[in-house]
Amino acid sequence: MSERNATERVGIDELLERVRSGLDRIDPRAAHEAYEAGDALLVDTRYAALRERDGLIPGALIVERNELEWRLDPLGSHRAAEATGHDLRVVVFCNEGYASSLAAASLRQLGLHRATDVIGGFQAWKAAGLPVLLSAARG
């Protein structure tokens, strides 16, 4: 068996398209409405420098991307208190809505079948005029 047959090679654009086809991605307003209705946990995976620069989404759980699966696995020993079960609707944010799609797909592999992400990420949230808390350091 050749290496080509043993391992399918997929570029990131194709992988992202495949992953997104399995998600029910939502726009920022729908994410905000779901959070306000108590039907979604917003999870901000942006790294600290972006949060400091652009601000925070009020009520969002901050989980760095490299900790996401450990913090949101309802069966995990390092889970966040908010990781209450596999039926939890988790809405993941990154900066522009790319890495969050991959993150949501990873959460689905853990059995969080309602995990999804926000189209356009934090930048789309901010552009839609939804609530953002600016860092005290920014003044």
Side-chain angles (χ1 to χ4, degrees):
M1 180 185 303
S2 73
E3 181 181 334
R4 182 175 175 94
N5 292 335
T7 305
E8 180 183 12
R9 295 184 180 163
V10 177
I12 188 61
D13 293 331
E14 184 177 342
L15 177 62
L16 195 58
E17 185 178 320
R18 288 181 187 184
V19 162
R20 286 178 171 171
S21 72
L23 298 174
D24 299 316
R25 301 182 79 219
I26 59 176
D27 66 37
R29 290 207 182 277
H32 183 254
E33 290 168 7
Y35 171 75
E36 289 289 311
D39 185 43
L41 173 65
L42 303 180
V43 178
D44 187 346
T45 63
R46 294 173 302 140
Y47 54 89
L50 289 177
R51 295 191 311 267
E52 180 68 25
R53 183 189 76 190
D54 294 337
L56 303 171
I57 296 169
L61 177 66
I62 297 169
V63 179
E64 297 276 341
R65 175 61 189 99
N66 63 327
E67 298 177 358
L68 185 69
E69 292 81 1
W70 283 268
R71 303 289 290 147
L72 291 178
D73 178 3
L75 303 176
S77 59
H78 299 292
R79 70 183 172 277
E82 295 85 350
T84 56
H86 288 93
D87 288 333
L88 180 65
R89 184 176 188 195
V90 177
V91 179
V92 183
F93 281 85
C94 66
N95 196 47
E96 295 181 348
Y98 295 95
S100 58
S101 294
L102 299 173
S106 181
L107 292 176
R108 283 187 172 222
Q109 289 182 320
L110 286 175
L112 292 155
H113 62 96
R114 297 178 69 206
T116 191
D117 74 320
V118 172
I119 300 165
F122 176 84
Q123 294 304 323
W125 176 281
K126 188 174 172 182
L130 294 168
V132 173
L133 296 174
L134 297 178
S135 168
R138 289 189 57 200

